[in-house]
Amino acid sequence: MKSRITAAPYLIWAMILIIVPLILVAIFAFTGTGGGFTIDNFKNALEYAPVIFNSIWLSIIATAICLVLAYPLAYAISRYSKSRQRTMVMLVMLPMWMNFLLRTYAWMTLLENNGLVNKFFGLFGLGPFEMINTQGAVVLGMVYNYLPFMILPLYSVMVKIDRSLVEAASDLGCSASDTMRHVILPLSMPGISTGIIMVFVPSVSTFVISRMLGGGSFMLIGDLIEMQFLGNAYNPNLGAAISMVLMLIILVSMAFTELFQNSEEKEGLLL
């Protein structure tokens, strides 16, 4: 009884900030301009299927790149001494101390036709290359901004892996690759699944990065939703329907990640 009373303020806060907005989104999604029930908003949302699939595809690419870059880095940090671990974690988090928009503006300056990157290539007689306002620039912005969200969960799990398990695998004849595959990888699956969710969710819903680094040429789901609520094509009912589609995509991705994690952990135990 005491625990329920203690948790009551948090439950009320969650209802106000989470449940009530979700109910309002659902109401808008299933009502038309006249206020009656309809599913036409979801039919209209299907017209933007190419944008939705492109958003998912770019987010998967960005998440995969973050995982490839973050996994060895997180493992290396976890093997350092405690003092060096703190220093490396601080360096990973250092870019996050800067405003999100400023970081993205910095990449605009670097990637533009007269930017520093093209000037560097110009020293070797190369370029200028068209880097800004491309899908590659959008993915680069996602990777740069969300890479720490992949590194930190991986590090928090890897640092808890008992080093004696790695030594025991080596003593039993496992090579470095076998140890990584059968010992470290299964034990780090919780960090992988958390990192994937933490990178994929903001990537698939972003609109600032696609607008600033994509020049508005590569519209994502976040751009569509913003247009319906704040743009010239004001249609909050359609925007709510697209938001529910986005929530469904996120829930499916989380379920798939959880399923993949469980299967990998079982395989690791069997092996």
Side-chain angles (χ1 to χ4, degrees):
M1 185 66 181
K2 184 178 179 180
S3 60
R4 293 181 180 179
I5 296 175
T6 306
Y10 302 98
L11 295 176
I12 295 173
W13 189 258
M15 289 181 62
I16 295 174
L17 295 182
I18 299 176
I19 299 177
V20 173
L22 288 177
I23 293 174
L24 292 176
V25 169
I27 292 173
F28 271 90
F30 286 101
T31 56
T33 55
F37 176 83
T38 181
I39 59 172
D40 290 340
N41 296 319
F42 291 95
K43 294 179 181 179
N44 295 332
L46 293 178
E47 296 178 2
Y48 298 99
V51 175
I52 295 174
F53 285 120
N54 189 49
S55 301
I56 296 173
W57 175 241
L58 293 181
S59 301
I60 290 174
I61 293 175
T63 304
I65 294 174
C66 285
L67 179 59
V68 171
L69 294 176
Y71 197 91
L73 180 58
Y75 180 74
I77 294 174
S78 68
R79 300 299 98 180
Y80 289 151
S81 62
K82 295 295 183 181
S83 59
R84 292 191 65 185
Q85 285 181 26
R86 289 192 291 268
T87 302
M88 295 300 295
V89 170
M90 185 190 69
L91 292 176
V92 169
M93 297 180 63
L94 191 61
M96 300 173 65
W97 297 357
M98 188 186 304
N99 183 271
F100 182 88
L101 291 176
L102 291 178
R103 282 181 280 157
T104 310
Y105 269 123
W107 276 110
M108 290 178 64
T109 305
L110 291 171
L111 298 178
E112 62 185 9
N113 294 336
N114 295 322
L116 295 178
V117 176
N118 270 319
K119 287 181 179 179
F120 174 77
F121 285 126
L123 297 176
F124 304 95
L126 302 174
F129 298 103
E130 187 68 29
M131 292 181 286
I132 197 71
N133 300 336
T134 62
Q135 288 191 353
V138 175
V139 172
L140 176 62
M142 292 178 180
V143 172
Y144 173 75
N145 282 292
Y146 302 131
L147 182 60
F149 296 108
M150 181 69 76
I151 296 175
L152 295 178
L154 285 171
Y155 161 75
S156 65
V157 171
M158 290 181 174
V159 75
K160 299 175 183 177
I161 297 177
D162 194 342
R163 298 191 182 189
S164 62
L165 296 176
V166 179
E167 296 173 357
S170 178
D171 292 340
L172 292 173
C174 287
S175 62
S177 59
D178 289 335
T179 302
M180 177 63 68
R181 179 183 176 187
H182 300 306
V183 179
I184 298 175
L185 184 60
L187 293 176
S188 62
M189 283 307 301
I192 293 176
S193 61
T194 302
I196 288 175
I197 293 172
M198 292 184 67
V199 173
F200 179 81
V201 170
S203 296
V204 77
S205 60
T206 186
F207 61 93
V208 174
I209 295 175
S210 57
R211 182 193 302 164
M212 296 174 65
L213 298 182
S217 302
F218 304 97
M219 187 178 294
L220 302 182
I221 301 178
D223 300 297
L224 280 177
I225 296 173
E226 185 201 21
M227 285 175 56
Q228 307 308 317
F229 286 99
L230 300 176
N232 295 328
Y234 181 75
N235 190 343
N237 301 98
L238 178 58
I242 299 174
S243 299
M244 292 199 69
V245 172
L246 176 59
M247 285 189 284
L248 179 62
I249 293 172
I250 293 173
L251 290 175
V252 170
S253 65
M254 292 176 65
F256 178 79
T257 304
E258 184 70 20
L259 180 64
F260 177 76
Q261 174 187 339
N262 293 336
S263 63
E264 285 291 327
E265 289 178 347
K266 290 179 180 178
E267 181 181 353
L269 292 173
L270 290 175
L271 293 175

